[in-house]
Amino acid sequence: RIEFEGVYHRAEVYLDGESMPAHPNGYFGFRIPVKAGKHTIRVIARNSEQPNSRWYTGAGIYRPVTLVCLPEKHILPESIWIRTQDWQMRRISVDFRTTDDGVVKVEILDGEKLLASRESTGLILFDMKGAELWSPENPKLYTARLTYADDVQEVRFGIRTLEVDAEKGFRINGERTLLLGTCIHLMEKA
């Protein structure tokens, strides 16, 4: 696939003369699927409607473009989801999608130390008793390494839960947490 991190704006992309889905917003990245081989890629950025932003935007490809080469059998991009199921029991789930049916090996690591390993074709639950919780004071991260055929992907994650309600406010792992900071815009008097 080819990943465009930013094209301002109203990007039109053509792959070997064939129009790919349009990308009107110039501030979000996008990707196009490409099979192995030689290709011609044309990118058009239309920015003639001025002014169209609060600040000078420039025009065209303004962020990196990356060619990502994946093996034929691979874990689908951005399909890995790691969720804290129970922060008190330190239980997490690892979910993923692959291009074909097959077994994925999932390893949970703390640095180089292997904490747990399982193989499955879908959702896996891990009980990580004794694992440290993520918090602003202790931003502890673990690594999930997924191996499927020749594809290996790693995702960093923290074990934590976020809650908010009118009665108890914002909480991380059950602890009330104050959000510090503000956004103040000066307003002109009419």
Side-chain angles (χ1 to χ4, degrees):
R1 68 182 187 262
I2 298 176
E3 295 181 348
F4 294 85
E5 289 188 30
V7 180
Y8 198 85
H9 93 150
R10 292 179 53 211
E12 298 173 20
V13 180
Y14 296 87
L15 176 65
D16 298 327
E18 182 182 333
S19 178
M20 305 306 286
H23 299 280
N25 189 311
Y27 299 113
F28 296 110
F30 61 91
R31 70 173 59 97
I32 61 169
V34 179
K35 294 194 183 278
K38 188 174 182 178
H39 300 281
T40 300
I41 297 171
R42 184 168 58 126
V43 178
I44 300 171
R46 301 194 187 278
N47 195 24
S48 60
E49 302 165 347
Q50 291 293 330
N52 63 19
S53 182
R54 290 162 58 174
W55 50 83
Y56 173 72
T57 59
I61 300 172
Y62 67 94
R63 297 240 172 158
V65 177
T66 307
L67 174 63
V68 178
C69 298
L70 297 167
E72 187 174 333
K73 293 177 77 170
H74 60 270
I75 300 166
L76 295 174
E78 298 169 4
S79 74
I80 301 170
W81 289 90
I82 301 172
R83 293 182 177 94
T84 302
Q85 299 294 326
D86 185 329
W87 64 272
Q88 293 171 318
M89 300 297 292
R90 311 305 200 261
R91 182 175 297 127
I92 64 164
S93 65
V94 180
D95 199 7
F96 49 86
R97 301 287 177 265
T98 58
T99 53
D100 287 319
D101 292 335
V103 174
V104 175
K105 179 180 181 182
V106 179
E107 299 170 295
I108 305 298
L109 301 126
D110 183 3
E112 295 297 317
K113 181 180 177 187
L114 179 66
L115 300 178
S117 178
R118 285 222 175 108
E119 294 184 1
S120 178
T121 58
L123 181 78
I124 302 175
L125 293 175
F126 287 95
D127 287 322
M128 299 180 55
K129 295 187 183 353
E132 294 180 52
L133 294 175
W134 182 97
S135 70
E137 298 78 29
N138 180 39
K140 177 65 178 177
L141 295 177
Y142 296 92
T143 301
R145 179 184 299 145
L146 288 78
T147 306
Y148 175 63
D150 293 330
D151 187 19
V152 178
Q153 294 189 32
E154 292 186 350
V155 176
R156 308 254 299 152
F157 69 94
I159 301 172
R160 52 93 181 109
T161 189
L162 306 175
E163 301 169 284
V164 65
D165 61 42
E167 192 174 303
K168 296 181 181 178
F170 180 69
R171 298 179 307 284
I172 300 175
N173 304 327
E175 296 286 324
R176 186 161 187 260
T177 304
L178 296 177
L179 298 176
L180 304 176
T182 185
C183 179
I184 301 174
H185 294 276
L186 297 176
M187 297 184 66
E188 294 182 25
K189 293 183 179 180

